[in-house]
Amino acid sequence: MFPVVSNEEIAPQLHRMVIAAPRIARARKPGQFVIVRATAGAERIPLTIADYDSDAGTITLIIQCVGVATQRICAVPAGGELRDVAGPLGQPTEIEDWGRVVCVGGGAGTAVLFPLAKALAEAGNDLTTIIGGRTDEYVILKDELSAISTRVLITTEDGSLGERGFVTLPLKRILDDPAQKPAAVYAVGPVPMMKAIAELTRPYAVKTIVSLNPIMVDGTGMCGGCRVTVGGEVKFACVDGPEFDGHEVDFDELSERQKMYQELDEHGCRLDKQVADLAAAEKKD
Amino acid sequence: MAEQRAGTATGDGLSAKERMKIDRVRMPEQDATARSGNFAEVNQGLDEERARLEAQRCLRCKNPPCVNGCPVSVRIPEFVSAIADGDFQRAAEVMRVDNALPATTGRVCPQEVQCEGSCLRGKKGDPVAIGWLERFIADWAAEHMPPESPPQTCTGFHVAVVGSGPGGLTAAGELARMGHKVHIYEALHDTGGVLRYGIPEFRLPKAIVDREVENLRNLGVEVECDVVVGRTLTVDQIAVDYDAVFVANGAGLPMFLGVPGENLKGVYSANEYLTRVNLMGAWKGETDGTPIARGETVVVFGGGNVAMDSVRTARRLGAEHAICAYRRTRAEMPARVEEIHHAEEEGIEFHFLVAPLEILGDDHRWVRGVKLQKMELGEPDASGRRRPVPIEGSEYVQECDIVVVALGTVANPLLTEATPELQLNKWKNIVVDDRQATTMEGVFAGGDIVRGGATVILAMGDGKTAAHSIDEYLRDKTPKGPPTC
């Protein structure tokens, strides 16, 4: 059992939870994740370790409550317990002093980006951070990222905070300006965002690292459900990743695979409807 | 007729001739049609009468070949004759000394190539049903004997076991009985390793795994889940606190076919398919649990036990056509004979001598079929089995909704990559000597992380050997910490 130290909603359906897990707090490195289950019988959910305090023996997770299992995790209040927290899993980020780096976070992906940005800043990089969100409510970790970045740029789709539009807008300006052009870009967010960023940086030949979140079961390499195609080769995100060269990732395949169970539900509903229609038709006869 | 004879015979009074006249017992099974729609155990177990009669078939050989056929050298004639005498308690006591998990091995061992494969009676007719007798006595003991109590001795040594699969559980039991304090680290959220995530409920009920683990707890063994050794803790860190370590962290990463279309939606590794169903309980179909894709037609590639488990699981999940596609013939299938037999009874369809060329997808990137090529058997290969050779122009498409790939695994790197002192072979499996000792002082290893893909009983054999080697290794040492028992 893993005690929940605190639990707050930092954006709509987005929770920040501090969890007592001393061994994981000691062992974790930036870019790694844990597998969490709130209760017995629940799905195993991979979550990036957003922050840690090895003295206090805690890790911080930022969780988007979108499905049953994540909702159950978010419903555990401070003082409660999570049944399972296993990790740290995945390869740590390769932190280098690139000189100038741009970090881009979209929505909940900003939480995954935070530990990388922090490590990059600690390694001496000149850090520009771009945070994107649907509206101002979805722009998270603004203060935390401001504290470690040379500058922070914000975009929202409705213009309620920062520049109106997508994160690619300021990124393109930076890439076009020789005085600002970074040596590397780290991007974490929804698949379409990471794909757009990889396509944007490709012609500039700027190294682009993305963090992938495919469907996973065990998180230890055993199931292969998280396989992604990178540079024409099959990789397991849980043991080979989750970070990969964005210019090599097959994002279309990843995006399709992520939709598998969602589509299954829809398909199931369609079948149920067909069966009901048939039954109704038979009754009429 | 048979029951009558059992009632009148007393074990030792029979002549060899009389024993030879008794036919092999039949295992009561759940009806094939009924069981194709549920996950309850197929084999129902022998009753006392049937078990005694079967035990009387044993010829009590002076040099019993069955014992040599057993990887953990269970004293088979001893426990079998105790059953024949109706002294089930004695049979259980013999078993308990030799085999830590008899309820499991009685159900999942490939007896036909081990004990029963060596049985003299098999030379002419059917061998003694040693596996079923083992299962009988294990289940009898669970029901009638008090749980084992912790040992009276306390050596003061602490031993860490990595992994709670068959190798780890066996080693833990042996070590605890010797008076060592054992702590098991398990990476998943539940115990049992392959016994829980791999082998389905209909072949090995999870209540049995729970019972085996509970038995270890009675012996004073501590079990801790959610600790991924190599990540949460390293072997070096563990070695600081423990006097010895046994590494049995199991099988690894699933292999895939390497054909186009393998990443389509609806394609699973057997590991993922079985883990979702067994460990995560997807078969229960609970709306808030782990999902599994079901389909009308499921094609499983492979011919081993894992392939059989997968295709029979698919059938139980509602597949009208659950197809096993294998590149050789029935005779070369590495699966247990009983599993193949049960699969056939359950209406599993077999496509022999076929190899996959491609997995075909629809417009939404879901599987819609597999393109297969027919094969014929050529010259024997390195394994001694005749090598399948493709027949040109024989390609055909089998439509399907789900594909499961059961081709085996390669070594899991999580622990070994973090432990450079451990010498590995070219397959990245840990190198050990005949005592299961690794190249790292005080660290022993066994099971699939050493052998690659092997069986439950071989992992158990490693666990048993390692426990004795650890005991010997500790003899001239002083415990690192204060005794806790």
Side-chain angles (χ1 to χ4, degrees), chain B residues 376-393:
Chain B
E376 58 192 349
L377 289 182
E379 295 301 308
D381 64 11
S383 72
R385 297 179 299 180
R386 291 174 67 193
R387 185 197 307 270
V389 184
I391 302 170
E392 290 306 319

Side-chain angles (χ1 to χ4, degrees), chain B residues 58-207:
Chain B
C58 173
L59 298 176
R60 328 272 165 100
C61 305
K62 282 221 169 58
N63 295 308
C66 52
V67 179
N68 296 329
C70 173
V72 297
S73 306
V74 170
R75 286 166 291 159
I76 293 162
E78 247 179 82
F79 94 78
V80 170
S81 64
I83 294 176
D85 294 347
D87 190 350
F88 302 140
Q89 171 126 1
R90 184 160 62 89
E93 279 159 6
V94 171
M95 184 67 77
R96 207 173 247 187
V97 173
D98 292 338
N99 181 350
L101 312 170
T104 301
T105 50
R107 287 170 166 86
V108 307
C109 257
Q111 287 94 1
E112 68 268 16
V113 294
Q114 296 176 358
C115 51
E116 294 183 26
S118 318
C119 177
L120 211 61
R121 289 214 54 176
K123 303 266 183 269
K124 203 175 147 191
D126 294 322
V128 175
I130 301 166
W132 294 346
L133 290 175
E134 180 179 50
R135 173 200 155 126
F136 165 78
I137 209 64
D139 290 356
W140 182 91
E143 210 176 306
H144 296 93
M145 283 168 72
E148 237 179 309
S149 42
Q152 298 303 307
T153 54
C154 171
T155 62
F157 288 108
H158 291 70
V159 182
V161 171
V162 180
S164 65
L169 293 180
T170 303
E174 296 276 332
L175 288 161
R177 289 186 191 98
M178 293 167 183
H180 305 304
K181 185 75 188 159
V182 182
H183 190 101
I184 302 180
Y185 293 107
E186 166 59 49
L188 294 172
H189 59 256
D190 206 347
T191 52
V194 70
L195 307 178
R196 175 115 30 207
Y197 75 74
I199 302 175
E201 180 77 16
F202 56 82
R203 204 146 76 78
L204 179 68
K206 297 315 142 209

Side-chain angles (χ1 to χ4, degrees), chain A residues 9 54 59 73 80 110 162 172 190-191 209 231:
Chain A
E9 192 171 14
S54 46
I59 56 170
I73 295 168
T110 309
K172 182 156 191 336
V191 173
I209 293 154

Side-chain angles (χ1 to χ4, degrees), chain B residues 32-39 202 273-274 277 283 293-300 307-324 342-349 402 404:
Chain B
T33 313
R35 74 183 190 235
S36 302
N38 69 44
F39 278 80
F202 56 82
Y273 193 67
L274 293 174
V277 174
W283 60 277
R294 300 168 191 240
E296 216 171 270
T297 305
V298 178
V299 173
V300 176
M308 288 302 96
D309 286 344
S310 302
V311 76
R312 295 173 67 200
T313 293
R315 182 84 169 136
R316 283 161 173 76
L317 290 175
E320 199 162 316
H321 301 285
I323 300 169
C324 169
H342 281 164
E344 286 168 341
E345 285 180 346
E346 289 163 15
I348 304 303
E349 297 164 36
I402 305 289
V404 180

Side-chain angles (χ1 to χ4, degrees), chain A residues 9 34 41 55 81 108 119 136 187 197 226 247 263-264 277 282:
Chain A
E9 192 171 14
V34 286
D55 294 331
E81 285 178 328
D136 57 346
I197 288 173
C226 65
H247 295 152
E263 290 176 354
L264 211 60
D277 289 349
E282 271 172 22

